[in-house]
Amino acid sequence: MSKHTSIWTSSLRWLQRKLVHTITVPQDPFADLNLDGERPVVYVMKIESWSDKAALADVTDQLGLPSPYEPLTIGAAQLPRVMCLEGAKPLFGRRKQDTNYLSTFTKLLNLHKQQPDLDVQLVPVSLYWGRTPGKEDDTMRAAVFERENPSWLRKFLMILFLGRDNFVQFANAVSVRLMADNHGTDEAIAHKLSRVARVHFRRQRKVMTGPVLPNRQWLFSELLRSENIRHAIAEEAEAKHISIEEAKKTAETYLDEIAADYSDSLVRVSERLLTWLWNKLYSGINIKGAEQIRQLHHDGHEIVYVPCHRSHMDYLLLSYILYFQGMVPPHIAAGINLNFWPAGPMFRRGGAFFIRRSFNGNKLYTVVFKEYLDRLFAKGYSVEYFTEGGRSRTGRLLSPKTGMLAMTVHSVLRGIERPVTLVPVYLGYDHVMEVATYLKELRGKEKKKESVWQVLGAVRKLGNFGQGYVNFGEPINLQQFLTEKQADWRELQDPELDQKPAWLTPAVNNLATRVMTRINNAAAATAVTLTSTVLLATEQNALERRKLENQINFYLDLLKQVPYTEFVSVPEGDAAALLQQGLDLKKFCIQNDGIGDIVSIDENVAVTMTYYRNNIIHLFAIPSLLACCLIRSESCNREQVTLVLQRLYPLLKAELFMGLKDAQAFADELLARFEAFGYISADADVWRVTEEGQLALTLLAEVMSETLQRYAIIFNLLAAKPAIERGDLELESHLLASRLGRLHGITAPEFYDKKLYSMLSIKLKELGYLNNNNNMDEISAVRDLVNQLLTPQVRETIVASAEIQQES
């Protein structure tokens, strides 16, 4: 009989495998969770289910974990490998109360009491056959409920129709030893475990499926009845001399233009399409830090994703990654320019809500948009928006736009009980489709309006794009941030918000800077970015292969041994492997001249490659400054290094959104690594560059050469024209930069980017350098300092040009 049962079970498992495609969350539990392969494992599941156990067995076989069918043997005791909180539900009638798990857990506790060295891991496992959250107006509530507690017949139908969307999610292991030592081994602990586990499974389901979806028209009706929108409608009617009904229709039109229409069915279809697309485009997607975000969701946080914006791919990539990491794709604030057929309707069904580039003093639209955003937060939907407002054309982060952040803060001030947490996200690519277009726009070409023909043109050019990178940065809890900025913020009421307290605007600006800084703090160094950084520092954008590999290995060592932050990701492998990745992508050229291999950047794409270097330029800003000090002076001492950091780091921090906790300590560690490589020698706190270090440090110094040249331009102009106005400084700096570029062959696009000069001029005003005749000594000191860090030829051009400007 047992043999017959075994054959029957094996046959059913074989059939289920044909119907089921299972995705494991996280993909590598050993790396992402505190799971120890050397310690015994017991799985905790919510419901006794043959099909769930069979799906789990397939996953554990792949991961090398114990099978759920294999009993746990501890000495003479034999226990089931799986503990289920509830028994299987019959087709008719109520589920029988199952307390087997209580006796199993009690036995486990007693075994730990008897064996001090024993430590069993309890691993919660959740299974989801489809991820439909249900709708608020769903009349078949029982059917939605059955998705969590199905009978065998409903489970069969779920496997049949949703088997291709099966997710098995592992959670952090719980140490029975820790529980036994801290809480004892009586039966009450077993009941406590049951309660905690039930809460865990309920929260986990919400993380996976998200809140129930609203009926769109019901949502509109509810919003139109809100006090703020009714008041704005009345004002609109009075201001434009129209009826209340006409103003109300306008408000409803705005809602229809803005609101998402999320469809779980479309998301499931899109998942298959995007899987095909990513497999065609990318050889891999690298993810770092997803587990901490999953935990925030589990703990009930309202999550607002704030990624950098490099490509239209960003919208798709982040949602796709979150879906496969066991989290619901967010509602995304998309520019109204993307609301064209057929992309617009598809984006809307995928969770996009559309926002105009400018509200143009349209108070009704502003109120409608704010109320819609408030409702998303209130209902518990995660939200995503790009604080830069648009895609970066240079590879550097843009100055943040504070509108969406201000509205998010406003929502918190209005009273959201759950913690609201901003999650900075760094998105990077080995190849950005739009880079060539970005350079044309920087040269003055008008930006093309998005259209279906643009999409089709982009699809036609699909090729090998290398790898993508998604790094989740350090979260920002908004309630904690507001308490930090204004301890009594909770006492504010809506009427006071209309008056906009004096502290609010500076707080939002500070928040925006913090978001951008934490995005850069989670940067991804890659094969393409590192190789570009080295080659663009050479005179002809070319280097012998051996020397190139040595330099990349040097940079890899700095990133690993002196980490910029714990959130930065560094590629696996050595320089030879990384260089080969870049060559395979055809980003670089290689030629043997009879003596050896020379790696170069084709002159036609050299400017393009600055985009990728700029993605990580902030990681090498301080190392490059140190190299400049060492290379440009015969003897560099700690006092000089400290002076350079004190005077230049505030500017670098503002321009590159750098977030080092202690720049001096960071510099000291870097100098120690330079010395460990034998590139510098120390004598009585004076550092000298060795013969071995000449090339390596000269190349490193060149990384920040264009930035230092811009600083030299600005401070030479400030010294020459102390009373210069901010607008004139921006104009003349840009003019002098263009002259310098033509004379010395500087082609980096950010060197000519007017926005950078605008951002710097704002920081100069904050630091007291602009329109301040009393600060001339400091301005002259900074000018002399920066001039010393330049090559003689460039320094002479800048000084002479500034003198000409002074006379004009």
Side-chain angles (χ1 to χ4, degrees):
M1 183 68 178
S2 62
K3 183 179 179 182
H4 174 76
T5 305
S6 176
I7 294 173
W8 174 245
T9 300
S10 298
S11 299
L12 285 176
R13 284 189 64 188
W14 176 85
L15 179 61
Q16 179 169 304
R17 286 194 197 102
K18 296 296 181 183
L19 297 171
V20 171
H21 171 68
T22 299
I23 297 162
T24 307
V25 180
Q27 291 182 354
D28 186 354
F30 291 104
D32 294 343
L33 305 175
N34 60 334
L35 198 56
D36 185 350
E38 301 300 318
R39 288 157 51 201
V41 169
V42 169
Y43 305 108
V44 181
M45 301 174 72
K46 184 182 178 186
I47 299 169
E48 177 71 37
S49 167
W50 182 92
S51 55
D52 286 0
K53 191 178 289 188
L56 175 60
D58 291 337
V59 170
T60 55
D61 288 347
Q62 295 171 12
L63 294 174
L65 286 165
S67 169
Y69 295 113
E70 173 191 321
L72 173 65
T73 303
I74 302 174
Q78 200 171 65
L79 301 171
R81 184 71 64 173
V82 178
M83 292 167 53
C84 299
L85 303 184
E86 300 174 11
K89 185 175 181 180
L91 185 58
F92 302 105
R94 294 186 177 182
R95 185 193 314 274
K96 291 182 180 179
Q97 189 67 26
D98 188 351
T99 57
N100 288 338
Y101 72 93
L102 290 174
S103 61
T104 301
F105 186 58
T106 303
K107 288 177 185 176
L108 269 178
L109 287 170
N110 288 330
L111 286 168
H112 280 74
K113 186 177 182 180
Q114 297 164 14
Q115 302 181 34
D117 296 334
L118 180 63
D119 189 4
V120 174
Q121 303 170 98
L122 294 179
V123 180
V125 182
S126 306
L127 279 94
Y128 307 92
W129 302 88
R131 292 169 61 172
T132 302
K135 290 192 175 183
E136 287 181 340
D137 63 332
D138 198 337
T139 56
M140 298 181 66
R141 291 183 182 275
V144 176
F145 179 74
E146 286 291 327
R147 193 174 292 277
E148 293 188 54
N149 301 281
S151 65
W152 66 265
L153 178 59
R154 178 147 182 95
K155 178 60 74 71
F156 170 74
L157 295 173
M158 289 165 66
I159 292 172
L160 196 60
F161 294 107
L162 297 170
R164 309 305 294 176
D165 293 287
N166 179 40
F167 288 77
V168 174
Q169 182 166 17
F170 294 89
N172 279 308
V174 177
S175 167
V176 180
R177 164 59 53 202
L178 192 63
M179 293 189 70
D181 291 347
N182 292 344
H183 302 288
T185 57
D186 58 23
E187 191 175 337
I189 302 302
H191 287 281
K192 182 177 181 181
L193 171 72
S194 170
R195 291 193 298 272
V196 171
R198 290 176 194 278
V199 171
H200 165 83
F201 287 121
R202 187 168 61 248
R203 287 181 174 177
Q204 203 78 331
R205 172 163 284 277
K206 189 170 182 180
V207 172
M208 182 67 78
T209 65
V212 293
L213 298 173
N215 176 288
R216 204 161 181 262
Q217 292 306 314
W218 284 15
L219 174 65
F220 290 0
S221 299
E222 193 177 356
L223 286 170
L224 290 170
R225 288 195 299 270
S226 70
E227 184 178 346
N228 286 337
I229 290 185
R230 284 193 291 109
H231 183 66
I233 286 172
E235 287 190 350
E236 177 85 355
E238 183 178 353
K240 295 191 175 178
H241 306 292
I242 57 177
S243 67
I244 293 290
E245 197 57 37
E246 287 176 300
K248 185 177 180 180
K249 284 182 180 179
T250 301
E252 191 166 4
T253 301
Y254 290 156
L255 276 172
D256 189 55
E257 175 189 303
I258 294 166
D261 190 17
Y262 185 88
S263 165
D264 178 66
S265 300
L266 178 73
V267 170
R268 284 204 308 273
V269 173
S270 300
E271 171 261 310
R272 289 170 175 75
L273 176 63
L274 289 175
T275 297
W276 169 83
L277 181 65
W278 300 137
N279 288 335
K280 183 175 177 61
L281 294 182
Y282 301 108
S283 55
I285 305 293
N286 301 274
I287 306 161
K288 183 173 181 178
E291 184 54 37
Q292 65 167 336
I293 311 308
R294 195 182 299 114
Q295 188 61 48
L296 288 173
H297 273 290
H298 187 272
D299 293 341
H301 287 238
E302 171 63 37
I303 304 296
V304 180
Y305 297 98
V306 278
C308 60
H309 201 6
R310 307 208 190 280
S311 167
H312 282 316
M313 283 289 184
D314 299 343
Y315 302 99
L316 304 174
L317 180 60
L318 184 54
S319 291
Y320 180 82
I321 289 303
L322 291 170
Y323 184 81
F324 277 95
Q325 289 294 318
M327 293 170 273
V328 180
H331 280 57
I332 307 167
I336 196 69
N337 58 304
L338 293 179
N339 191 18
F340 61 89
W341 189 89
M346 291 180 64
F347 284 152
R348 198 184 293 276
R349 300 283 280 177
F353 59 98
F354 293 97
I355 180 172
R356 296 181 180 182
R357 292 294 182 190
S358 172
F359 294 1
N360 287 327
N362 188 334
K363 186 172 183 180
L364 180 58
Y365 179 89
T366 303
V367 171
V368 166
F369 188 89
K370 282 184 177 179
E371 288 295 311
Y372 176 73
L373 190 63
D374 280 353
R375 191 56 51 95
L376 291 181
F377 292 145
K379 294 288 185 182
Y381 303 111
S382 56
V383 172
E384 173 191 338
Y385 52 75
F386 300 94
T387 48
E388 293 171 280
R391 292 164 294 159
S392 169
R393 265 62 179 171
T394 65
R396 296 171 179 238
L397 294 185
L398 303 176
S399 295
K401 304 291 191 295
T402 58
M404 288 296 293
L405 281 174
M407 283 187 270
T408 304
V409 170
H410 184 272
S411 294
V412 173
L413 293 175
R414 290 183 68 177
I416 295 179
E417 293 183 6
R418 295 187 320 285
V420 178
T421 300
L422 302 180
V423 175
V425 186
Y426 176 94
L427 299 173
Y429 308 88
D430 282 340
H431 177 80
V432 174
M433 290 189 298
E434 301 99 324
V435 164
T437 304
Y438 293 162
L439 296 177
K440 292 175 184 176
E441 290 174 12
L442 284 171
R443 290 174 183 144
K445 186 175 181 179
E446 188 176 346
K447 178 180 178 292
K448 286 185 178 180
K449 185 178 179 181
E450 283 78 3
S451 68
V452 66
W453 306 114
Q454 256 190 329
V455 173
L456 293 174
V459 169
R460 198 174 64 250
K461 297 175 184 176
L462 296 183
N464 178 14
F465 288 178
Q467 300 190 42
Y469 306 85
V470 181
N471 289 356
F472 295 93
E474 184 180 359
I476 303 168
N477 182 289
L478 270 188
Q479 282 89 343
Q480 292 177 3
F481 174 83
L482 289 172
T483 300
E484 172 192 325
K485 296 300 175 185
Q486 187 73 18
D488 63 348
W489 68 270
R490 295 180 188 274
E491 300 172 15
L492 288 172
Q493 301 298 322
D494 268 348
E496 292 179 86
L497 291 180
D498 292 337
Q499 297 170 15
K500 205 173 185 180
W503 60 268
L504 191 55
T505 297
V508 170
N509 291 338
N510 183 274
L511 177 63
T513 300
R514 188 173 299 190
V515 166
M516 305 310 289
T517 300
R518 292 195 181 180
I519 290 173
N520 259 352
N521 282 357
T526 71
V528 172
T529 57
L530 288 170
T531 308
S532 299
T533 299
V534 177
L535 291 177
L536 289 169
T538 63
E539 189 173 348
Q540 298 296 327
N541 298 330
L543 199 60
E544 295 173 39
R545 181 170 191 154
R546 179 182 57 80
K547 292 178 180 178
L548 173 59
E549 290 179 355
N550 288 342
Q551 193 72 6
I552 293 174
N553 278 327
F554 175 40
Y555 290 175
L556 285 172
D557 180 87
L558 294 180
L559 291 170
K560 292 174 182 176
Q561 301 302 321
V562 191
Y564 184 82
T565 71
E566 63 185 286
F567 298 94
V568 168
S569 62
V570 182
E572 298 292 330
D574 60 7
L578 298 183
L579 176 56
Q580 191 58 51
Q581 288 179 32
L583 292 171
D584 291 342
L585 288 169
K586 300 180 180 178
K587 291 291 184 184
F588 312 104
C589 307
I590 187 166
Q591 184 179 11
N592 190 297
D593 62 356
I595 300 175
D597 288 341
I598 295 176
V599 182
S600 63
I601 298 175
D602 188 291
E603 61 180 9
N604 295 319
V605 297
V607 177
T608 302
M609 298 310 293
T610 63
Y611 187 95
Y612 301 100
R613 177 201 63 187
N614 288 345
N615 288 177
I616 62 164
I617 194 169
H618 61 289
L619 301 181
F620 292 98
I622 299 299
S624 182
L625 272 186
L626 296 177
C628 281
C629 292
L630 292 162
I631 290 292
R632 306 283 185 242
S633 61
E634 294 182 3
S635 58
C636 176
N637 57 35
R638 183 179 175 82
E639 184 180 349
Q640 286 176 297
V641 168
T642 301
L643 196 61
V644 167
L645 291 176
Q646 285 176 345
R647 287 182 165 148
L648 297 186
Y649 182 65
L651 292 171
L652 291 172
K653 185 178 179 181
E655 180 181 347
L656 301 177
F657 297 104
M658 296 181 66
L660 293 170
K661 293 179 180 177
D662 188 337
Q664 184 64 61
F666 184 66
D668 290 341
E669 291 184 50
L670 288 167
L671 288 165
R673 291 311 299 169
F674 291 178
E675 192 172 357
F677 262 83
Y679 290 166
I680 61 174
S681 60
D683 181 19
D685 207 23
V686 173
W687 297 288
R688 289 184 174 83
V689 180
T690 64
E691 185 177 346
E692 293 83 0
Q694 279 292 336
L695 176 62
L697 294 181
T698 298
L699 290 174
L700 182 56
E702 281 299 311
V703 172
M704 292 300 291
S705 61
E706 288 145 5
T707 300
L708 292 174
Q709 289 160 11
R710 281 190 287 105
Y711 292 172
I713 287 170
I714 287 171
F715 279 93
N716 275 277
L717 284 173
L718 282 173
K721 295 184 174 183
I724 191 170
E725 294 294 329
R726 183 181 141 198
D728 292 335
L729 177 64
E730 292 172 15
L731 184 66
E732 293 188 24
S733 295
H734 186 260
L735 184 66
L736 210 161
S738 299
R739 176 185 177 86
L740 188 66
R742 284 192 294 272
L743 290 172
H744 296 278
I746 301 168
T747 57
E750 74 274 8
F751 195 74
Y752 309 97
D753 188 3
K754 293 180 181 179
K755 292 179 181 177
L756 278 181
Y757 293 99
S758 175
M759 185 169 67
L760 274 174
S761 68
I762 293 171
K763 191 61 181 178
L764 289 168
K765 191 168 185 178
E766 290 176 11
L767 295 172
Y769 289 126
L770 202 56
N771 297 331
N772 188 350
N773 290 327
N774 297 324
N775 206 19
M776 285 306 300
D777 289 342
E778 181 66 18
I779 289 172
S780 298
V782 176
R783 176 200 61 190
D784 295 342
L785 179 68
V786 179
N787 285 350
Q788 289 172 13
L789 299 177
L790 303 179
T791 60
Q793 299 91 333
V794 170
R795 178 170 61 242
E796 183 181 349
T797 300
I798 292 174
V799 172
S801 299
E803 289 174 354
I804 294 172
Q805 293 288 83
Q806 182 181 19
E807 295 169 3
S808 61

